[in-house]
Amino acid sequence: MRWSKAFIPTLRDDPTDAEAVSHKLLVRAAFIRQLMAGVYTLLPLAYRSRRKIRRIIEEEMDAIGGQEFLFPSLHPAEIWRKSGRLEIMGDEMFRLFDRKSGEVVLGMTHEEIFTTIATELTSYKQLPQIWYQIHSKFRDEPRPKSGLLRVREFTMKDSYTFDIDQEGLDRAFDAHYAAYKRIFERIGLDAIPVEASSGAMGGSGSVEFMVGSSAGEDLVAHCPNCDYAANVERADTRVPAAVDEQGLEHPEKFATPGVRTIDDLASFDGGAAGDRQIKTLVYVLDGETALVLLRGDHALQEQKLQDETGAIEFRPAHPEEIKALLGADAGSLGAVDVSDVTIIADTALRGRTNMTTGANENDFHLRGVNVERDIQVGSWASLREVKAGEPCIACGEPIDVFGAIECGHIFKLGTKYSESLGAMVLDQNGKSRPIYMGSYGIGLERNLAAVVETHHDEKGIAWPVAVAPYEVVVTVLKLDEETLGAADGVYEQLQSAGIETIIDDRKERPGVKFNDAELIGVPYRITIGPRGLADGVVEVNTRGTGDTETMSLADVVAAVVERVEAAR
RNA sequence: CGGGCUGUAGCGCAGCUUGGUAGCGCACCUGCUUUGGGAGCAGGGGGUCGCCAGUUCAAAUCUGGCCAGCCCGACCA
């Protein structure tokens, strides 16, 4: 490609509405333009990089026996109703009506649609199958943000596996796990697999592939010692065993005027430290009110509560609801002697005695509470959000917690969809059985953005060769016959060697060309100018390291070809 | 959905308080000079001032409504 003919509208300034580094750089470096909230146009440079990511994914999927499909984006709402997910997806699903007033939705994932075709599988002899597609997904996110990291229309590689039993599903899952590791490695992402919540997908096993970045929206708990890693939506740590005094025979009410928070009570004369308090939260789960109990200094991880209860509609109770239920306002709540309400308690409260909690009367608390004696706990579960520095659940060493981008997610679905949509096969005994399914996703544009988040400097993007829009830029410093002729020669040779090359033949000053090349992040730059040419030499600059070396014009093509091929 | 903010040329912004023919920088076009890290001079092109209504002799500016976008939170495969 000749830069003078290419559409590469780089910008000198950061767009004001961008926060994330990848967002700023992808806009400035002429990869993307926003069309509306959460919807972006991919300009030619981004399209080229995305095509390479796509190719890598296809190669690795094909390598584990995947067969590529193309399913529609328009789905009849009926299929989603049948699986029960029309309700579950709620407003996140784009819905429209066709001219016959038929209800239609835009696909946000494709379990239902793949399963519909999978009903044509009839015998265990046809299994296992690995099916995939690389296609648009639509999700009406309440709040799109951070450029390509969280959008409403995007491309996903989604694959689905079909097996006769759990063992087959385990094998399919493991094959994907291995393929995903190879994919992210080839893309240039240091993605770590973490235990995750299955959320609205249902199913059992769930692993997310996470790339550490402050722009990421997830938090990962990771143990540097034993490599335990989990999304905080699921992570656990060890809680040091508490040594409580036996305390009182009965809880004792005492006045706490003005005390409304855990901290208030901790500093109140006659109060209790945070780890000696019981925090009482009120939630409404599918219309049912429930009390959620945690240690005073622990925070609720809402996803854990949702996973534990299976609730679809889920929110903290409103102040009026709390008052009506317990007779006091938030800040004075407790679960002692409360009956007829579901009470879920965090396991860190198990066996604790002589605790302090609200008395369900404003300005009063109870001390001497023995959790299991005084509170009718309905169920125990891990509900708290872990914090950095807590002892690893596996080995006891302090864990890290860091922000991360979810670049891939793999699930074991089991028979949820095959049962609801009737994907059955006959086994060896002629008995009809639901197919065991798995579901596996990778967001292409999000991966593109994740590469930028992890491969940039103050000058711009520094693409890994494998996903760079061009592998080499030939920067022509002067457009006279001799210089341009030499540069064209190098360009032609690189092209014939199969190297993706762009020649910067624009009538611009050298500084502009250098800056643009560094901004868009081409891994290798060959600089050709009259000064070097007089000595028969050119310069080769490596974007990732910033190193510049001088080479003879005669040798440069072979040397660069070798490097590019080694780095692909 | 709650809170905060913003819509004026391709990009970044001023003008709005106090109504009176729409400006600046970059980018773009022409010419000359320049040419190894975002050049200089001269000339030039480009705007339904987010949309609709209202007030007024007159609205980018005042009033009302609507729309869009961003940030924080809620939410979220």
Side-chain angles (χ1 to χ4, degrees):
Chain A
M1 172 58 79
R2 307 190 80 79
W3 201 313
S4 61
K5 307 289 183 215
F7 184 65
I8 306 177
T10 56
L11 303 176
R12 191 173 290 209
D13 303 312
D14 280 335
T16 39
D17 54 2
E19 292 283 317
V21 174
S22 64
H23 187 188
K24 289 180 184 171
L25 286 176
L26 287 169
V27 172
R28 271 190 65 205
F31 283 74
I32 61 173
R33 288 293 185 264
Q34 183 174 23
L35 185 61
M36 59 175 174
V39 179
Y40 286 84
T41 302
L42 299 190
L43 305 183
L45 290 180
Y47 191 79
R48 293 180 68 94
S49 285
R50 195 197 69 144
R51 189 166 60 191
K52 292 189 176 178
I53 291 174
R54 177 184 180 124
R55 195 63 218 138
I56 288 169
I57 294 171
E58 286 171 338
E59 285 170 10
E60 296 298 339
M61 289 307 300
D62 292 349
I64 61 169
Q67 304 168 72
E68 191 163 7
F69 286 62
L70 183 58
F71 281 78
S73 287
L74 282 172
H75 307 167
E78 188 50 36
I79 294 188
W80 286 81
R81 195 167 280 123
K82 223 188 232 175
S83 72
R85 289 211 294 180
L86 198 63
E87 286 281 312
I88 294 174
M89 294 310 187
D91 291 336
E92 206 179 327
M93 183 159 239
F94 282 101
R95 297 157 196 244
L96 51 148
F97 293 89
D98 64 19
R99 62 171 67 210
K100 294 179 296 187
S101 299
E103 195 179 358
V104 175
V105 303
L106 291 179
M108 50 194 293
T109 175
H110 277 74
E111 280 77 14
E112 281 81 354
I113 316 304
F114 270 83
T115 307
T116 299
I117 295 295
T119 58
E120 294 193 35
L121 294 166
T122 51
S123 161
Y124 74 96
K125 293 176 189 169
Q126 295 168 302
L127 303 182
Q129 293 282 323
I130 300 176
W131 296 354
Y132 76 101
Q133 68 169 347
I134 294 174
H135 196 214
S136 299
K137 296 283 185 280
F138 299 87
R139 295 181 186 183
D140 196 359
E141 292 279 351
R143 189 175 160 205
K145 59 181 289 197
S146 305
L148 294 184
L149 286 175
R150 169 126 150 198
V151 293
R152 299 197 295 169
E153 174 180 348
F154 61 101
T155 316
M156 174 183 270
K157 185 288 298 178
D158 48 324
S159 47
Y160 304 87
T161 57
F162 304 92
D163 285 275
I164 189 64
D165 54 20
Q166 182 68 42
E167 290 68 44
L169 171 55
D170 292 345
R171 278 192 295 275
F173 187 88
D174 292 345
H176 272 82
Y177 187 100
Y180 273 42
K181 287 184 79 162
R182 286 191 294 272
I183 288 167
F184 295 121
E185 194 185 329
R186 289 181 62 185
I187 289 174
L189 289 173
D190 184 13
I192 65 165
V194 311
E195 292 176 27
S197 157
S198 306
M201 299 294 300
S204 52
S206 173
V207 171
E208 290 168 335
F209 289 82
M210 293 291 204
V211 173
S213 162
S214 57
E217 301 188 274
D218 288 274
L219 287 174
V220 168
H222 175 254
C223 174
N225 182 51
C226 73
D227 277 342
Y228 167 79
N231 193 309
V232 293
E233 292 177 352
R234 197 188 155 86
D236 257 325
T237 50
R238 292 184 194 174
V239 181
V243 184
D244 296 324
E245 313 88 67
Q246 182 43 44
L248 313 170
E249 298 225 351
H250 305 285
E252 172 187 284
K253 187 157 96 176
F254 63 109
T256 50
V259 169
R260 284 292 176 276
T261 67
I262 300 293
D263 286 343
D264 288 347
L265 189 58
S267 53
F268 183 78
D269 193 24
D275 62 1
R276 305 201 48 79
Q277 298 183 42
I278 304 168
K279 172 156 50 183
T280 308
L281 305 173
V282 185
Y283 271 77
V284 180
L285 310 171
D286 289 339
E288 296 285 319
T289 311
L291 299 189
V292 179
L293 272 36
L294 291 146
R295 211 171 81 179
D297 58 336
H298 287 163
L300 173 67
Q301 213 320 311
E302 288 197 344
Q303 187 67 47
K304 286 187 174 181
L305 179 59
Q306 192 159 16
D307 288 348
E308 180 64 26
T309 58
I312 294 167
E313 277 191 58
F314 179 93
R315 63 174 173 84
H318 301 141
E320 321 77 78
E321 292 169 323
I322 293 173
K323 183 88 179 206
L325 181 75
L326 297 176
D329 295 315
S332 304
L333 305 180
V336 174
D337 288 337
V338 173
S339 52
D340 301 330
V341 179
T342 303
I343 298 179
I344 308 166
D346 183 68
T347 46
L349 290 174
R350 199 156 219 162
R352 297 296 302 276
T353 58
N354 201 23
M355 303 286 279
T356 300
T357 189
N360 287 335
E361 182 178 343
N362 285 355
D363 299 319
F364 287 92
H365 281 76
L366 297 177
R367 61 165 70 100
V369 175
N370 288 9
V371 176
E372 294 181 61
R373 179 191 67 193
D374 300 324
I375 297 176
Q376 296 172 38
V377 174
S379 58
W380 297 89
S382 170
L383 298 175
R384 74 193 175 87
E385 180 157 310
V386 302
K387 291 190 290 238
E390 292 178 348
C392 172
I393 190 80
C395 74
E397 293 297 308
I399 60 157
D400 299 332
V401 174
F402 55 84
I405 300 166
E406 181 191 341
C407 284
H409 199 163
I410 59 179
F411 300 90
K412 291 179 184 174
L413 297 176
T415 57
K416 173 182 159 91
Y417 297 94
S418 50
E419 280 176 21
S420 59
L421 296 164
M424 316 286 284
V425 293
L426 297 183
D427 65 13
Q428 289 101 315
N429 304 316
K431 197 173 156 224
S432 184
R433 293 171 55 170
I435 300 174
Y436 279 76
M437 291 176 54
S439 163
Y440 319 83
I442 295 178
L444 300 227
E445 292 86 6
R446 180 180 281 187
N447 272 263
L448 190 77
V451 173
V452 178
E453 289 289 341
T454 53
H455 296 75
H456 69 268
D457 57 23
E458 65 288 344
K459 291 173 174 174
I461 307 170
W463 293 104
V465 170
V467 295
Y470 290 97
E471 294 165 327
V472 176
V473 53
V474 176
T475 301
V476 192
L477 294 184
K478 191 170 183 185
L479 299 182
D480 61 15
E481 202 172 316
E482 194 185 345
T483 313
L484 193 54
D488 266 327
V490 169
Y491 170 69
E492 294 296 343
Q493 289 177 66
L494 287 168
Q495 288 284 81
S496 358
I499 305 297
E500 296 180 9
T501 310
I502 183 167
I503 179 169
D504 194 349
D505 58 343
R506 290 177 299 168
K507 196 176 167 185
E508 289 288 353
R509 299 170 66 82
V512 172
K513 297 187 179 188
F514 293 148
N515 282 321
D516 272 347
E518 282 154 357
L519 177 61
I520 74 171
V522 181
Y524 295 102
R525 183 180 83 217
I526 302 177
T527 309
I528 301 182
R531 200 179 290 174
L533 233 36
D535 301 326
V537 298
V538 299
E539 275 173 15
V540 175
N541 176 272
T542 304
R543 178 69 180 87
T545 61
D547 294 342
T548 299
E549 51 200 303
T550 304
M551 284 189 198
S552 79
L553 182 60
D555 298 338
V556 69
V557 170
V560 169
V561 169
E562 188 184 329
R563 285 186 204 182
V564 170
E565 287 178 346
R568 272 177 179 161

